[in-house]
Amino acid sequence: MTPFITLEDAMGRTTDALSTPDCCLVVMLSAGMPKQVAVPQGATVMLASCTGPFWVRYGGPATLPSTDILDGTAPELNPAARSVAGLSSLGLVAPADCVLNLSFYR
């Protein structure tokens, strides 16, 4: 799996560009239908991009919030980049049909 590193420009300064991942997943989310996706072995970083809003729960199933969740167990809305070290799965759900792209790095 590709390491998560930022690339340097010609002057040796760090840029926002990353190396290309060698582990990408596409997840088709249907409105209100939760899915679970396995975190690839060795992955420590996940980057996410989606065609619509989505919720993720780390290490367990996600539910579409329909009321306040004030006990700390709420899923997270639209994370862009997260550490997934030590996780075996991601719970995903969206309020509308969308396409989610997950890129993993070590």
Side-chain angles (χ1 to χ4, degrees), residues 5 7 10 25 31 53 74 78 80 95 98:
I5 56 171
L7 302 177
L25 306 179
N78 297 335
C98 58

Side-chain angles (χ1 to χ4, degrees), residues 1 3 14 22 24 34 39 48 52 60 62 66 81-82 93 97 100 102 106:
M1 188 169 296
T14 302
D22 56 9
C24 289
V39 173
S66 60
R82 291 292 177 263
V93 68
D97 292 357
L100 173 63
L102 301 172
R106 67 172 165 82

Side-chain angles (χ1 to χ4, degrees), residues 23-48:
C23 183
C24 289
L25 306 179
V26 171
V27 182
M28 308 301 285
L29 295 174
S30 298
M33 301 300 296
K35 282 192 176 180
Q36 284 209 0
V37 173
V39 173
Q41 188 171 2
T44 60
V45 175
M46 172 200 73
L47 302 182

Side-chain angles (χ1 to χ4, degrees), residues 7 10 19 24 26 32 36 44 59 72 77 84 88-89 91 95 101 103 105:
L7 302 177
S19 53
C24 289
V26 171
Q36 284 209 0
T44 60
L77 178 64
V84 293
S88 61
S89 66
N101 180 246
S103 300
Y105 294 84

